[in-house]
Amino acid sequence: MRQIPTLIGLLFYLLCLSQSVKAQAILEKIDNSFSTTAKVTDTDGDGIPDDLDRDDDNDGIPDALECPGTFYWTGPITFSPTDNKIATGTINGIGFTYTSNKPLEATGSLYNYGFFPSSYGLPNNNPTIKNTQVTHNVLTFSSPMTDPILVFSSIGSSNTFVPIIFSNPIEIIWSGTAGGSFTVNSQTQITGQEGYVILRIPGIHTSIFFDYTVAENYANFTFGATVPQPCDYDGDGIPNSLDLDSDNDGCLDALEGDDNVTSAQLVNAAGTLSVGTGSIAPNKNICADASCVDSQGIPILVNPGGGADADHKQGQGVGSSQNINACSNCYKPGLLVGTSSDTKLGITALGRAGVGNPDNWPMVRKGGWMALEAKTKGVVLNRVTFDTLGNPIGISPSDFIEGMTVYDTTNNVIKIYTTKDNAATFKWYEMKIQTCPGDY
């Protein structure tokens, strides 16, 4: 009989435990769901959250190139003479202490140093930290460090996959492989198979750590930091990494990058992307969903083997996307061979028009729709004020005609009434530079 209450008690305990586990599971599910929702911002709508996406606006130009900041790298690293698990150095005047839970090893340089892009200016110190073991690695800074950078050379090998787990969310600046693979598993984990990476840990930190979880022979570590620089080239309130037209010249960044992207390869941008205030370019980029980007959010079109790739690198360079003088214009090339067309309409102040004049003007000006000329006179456009809705005062909306051009005296700019979405809508757009508002 003494066993009965014991059995009943056991059953009651198991029932309570079961309910407790279920309740805990439900709480964890709710908590995880909330955390995921709170963390995910996917500005370009390609299914990769911005903090893992190397190209937040899918213009093919990696964020780290559009908003590079200033890189600072560690000077010489000194191994402790009393503790073989500690090394010290300085980054931009701030001292750091590197501590491993295993004895340190060193190499005379960063392995395969030339594989990293020279534009980042990585250090090639002697000694450089060498790792062959499963290690817990801690970086402690003598004063708060902004955006520390970690560099890993030769993570894993052809037959060894090595995960690395970080204490804080990371941002990939650059990555590459030498015949293997590199994967971003989560906000705090990467895996390399002969992988190379430069990554940033955004924020201000006094200490960070990472765990090297598989032994191999061998990898190198080195360290640095970035100092953020102004990253809104055109001053429209949108950082370059989210701005489809970073210089507001009316030419999309995707086209001005240094690969061979064409207008025909562009799509309507997804998410909340925009060209920003003042640009007359349409909201277009290279890719609008998960089907056309790689695992790091770079459009496949500008990756090695992609249809627009010119440099055999992941993504494209900045090109002229931050150079307003480089914007292409709407002039068609002159006809240099064959029979050119006469310009049959002209207005001249020089009294030399008509077939009876030796100049045969304006027909002598080949290939134009209309020719205007004078030596001391200019064309004066209609000058009108504009209201707060962006329409000219005194001209009825029913009289707006596509191509109508006026001078807006309220904002001191030439405006044209046209469309940027294949005639779905029309409005008055500023004409600040030569461009092709309807030719995308």
Side-chain angles (χ1 to χ4, degrees):
M1 294 295 293
R2 285 183 300 177
Q3 294 179 355
I4 294 176
T6 302
L7 180 59
I8 294 173
L10 178 60
L11 291 172
F12 180 77
Y13 172 78
L14 291 174
L15 177 62
C16 291
L17 178 62
S18 173
Q19 295 303 315
S20 174
V21 170
K22 288 181 180 178
Q24 181 66 28
I26 292 171
L27 287 174
E28 288 179 354
K29 183 176 182 180
I30 292 173
D31 182 62
N32 289 338
S33 175
F34 175 80
S35 298
T36 300
T37 302
K39 290 180 179 178
V40 172
T41 300
D42 181 15
T43 306
D44 55 14
D46 63 0
I48 300 177
D50 289 355
D51 50 7
L52 295 178
D53 195 334
R54 290 194 60 210
D55 183 9
D56 288 344
D57 58 1
N58 277 351
D59 60 3
I61 307 172
D63 300 339
L65 296 181
E66 292 193 283
C67 295
T70 300
F71 289 86
Y72 294 93
W73 300 106
T74 178
I77 296 175
T78 302
F79 282 59
S80 171
T82 58
D83 189 334
N84 65 355
K85 298 179 182 179
I86 295 177
T88 57
T90 302
I91 300 170
N92 193 27
I94 297 176
F96 70 88
T97 299
Y98 165 78
T99 304
S100 175
N101 66 336
K102 301 288 179 63
L104 298 183
E105 298 180 71
T107 57
S109 62
L110 185 67
Y111 177 75
N112 209 1
Y113 177 76
F115 187 73
F116 292 92
S118 60
S119 58
Y120 293 107
L122 266 61
N124 197 19
N125 292 321
N126 181 10
T128 293
I129 296 170
K130 172 185 176 182
N131 189 73
T132 62
Q133 308 172 77
V134 175
T135 52
H136 177 67
N137 308 272
V138 181
L139 273 176
T140 303
F141 306 105
S142 60
S143 60
M145 179 72 78
T146 300
D147 292 350
I149 294 177
L150 306 180
V151 178
F152 296 85
S153 176
S154 187
I155 308 167
S157 63
S158 59
N159 56 3
T160 303
F161 290 82
V162 176
I164 305 175
I165 301 172
F166 300 88
S167 58
N168 303 79
I170 62 174
E171 178 184 9
I172 304 299
I173 295 176
W174 174 90
S175 65
T177 64
S181 65
F182 176 82
T183 304
V184 179
N185 306 106
S186 71
Q187 293 178 327
T188 55
Q189 180 177 323
I190 60 176
T191 298
Q193 180 199 18
E194 195 56 37
Y196 297 73
V197 65
I198 305 172
L199 61 86
R200 175 167 41 216
I201 300 183
I204 300 175
H205 305 272
T206 55
S207 181
I208 57 175
F209 71 80
F210 62 93
D211 292 333
Y212 207 88
T213 61
V214 175
E216 62 147 329
N217 186 37
Y218 62 91
N220 283 130
F221 309 152
T222 193
F223 315 114
T226 52
V227 175
Q229 298 297 320
C231 186
D232 182 11
Y233 186 87
D234 54 15
D236 63 358
I238 303 174
N240 298 341
S241 58
L242 299 176
D243 195 334
L244 298 176
D245 183 7
S246 293
D247 53 9
N248 263 10
D249 63 0
C251 293
L252 293 167
D253 292 353
L255 295 174
E256 291 190 298
D258 63 6
D259 275 357
N260 296 321
V261 180
T262 67
S263 299
Q265 293 169 321
L266 300 181
V267 299
N268 292 326
T272 58
L273 291 170
S274 168
V275 295
T277 303
S279 173
I280 62 174
N283 292 332
K284 290 195 173 188
N285 59 7
I286 296 174
C287 176
D289 57 51
S291 68
C292 45
V293 296
D294 65 15
S295 61
Q296 297 177 45
I298 304 288
I300 296 170
L301 184 73
V302 291
N303 283 347
D309 178 54
D311 54 12
H312 308 296
K313 296 178 181 178
Q314 184 187 37
Q316 60 176 339
V318 172
S320 59
S321 63
Q322 296 176 20
N323 177 7
I324 60 174
N325 295 319
C327 181
S328 60
N329 55 49
C330 282
Y331 295 135
K332 292 185 177 181
L335 185 61
L336 301 179
V337 296
T339 303
S340 57
S341 300
D342 291 334
T343 300
K344 296 184 178 181
L345 173 63
I347 301 174
T348 179
L350 302 182
R352 60 195 190 100
V355 293
N357 189 290
D359 289 336
N360 194 27
W361 191 93
M363 283 71 75
V364 70
R365 306 299 186 205
K366 302 298 183 181
W369 294 107
M370 180 175 68
L372 303 174
E373 72 167 18
K375 290 185 177 181
T376 59
K377 299 175 177 61
V379 176
V380 179
L381 297 175
N382 286 341
R383 298 170 57 84
V384 296
T385 57
F386 271 63
D387 60 26
T388 56
L389 297 178
N391 292 320
I393 297 173
I395 303 177
S396 171
S398 62
D399 293 330
F400 294 169
I401 299 173
E402 182 179 6
M404 181 182 287
T405 305
V406 298
Y407 186 83
D408 174 357
T409 59
T410 303
N411 300 293
N412 296 319
V413 66
I414 297 174
K415 288 186 175 179
I416 183 171
Y417 188 71
T418 188
T419 180
K420 295 197 297 181
D421 52 14
N422 295 320
T425 60
F426 288 83
K427 63 180 293 188
W428 291 92
Y429 291 98
E430 296 181 2
M431 295 175 62
K432 291 183 176 179
I433 44 84
Q434 295 172 342
T435 187
C436 307
D439 193 29
Y440 289 92

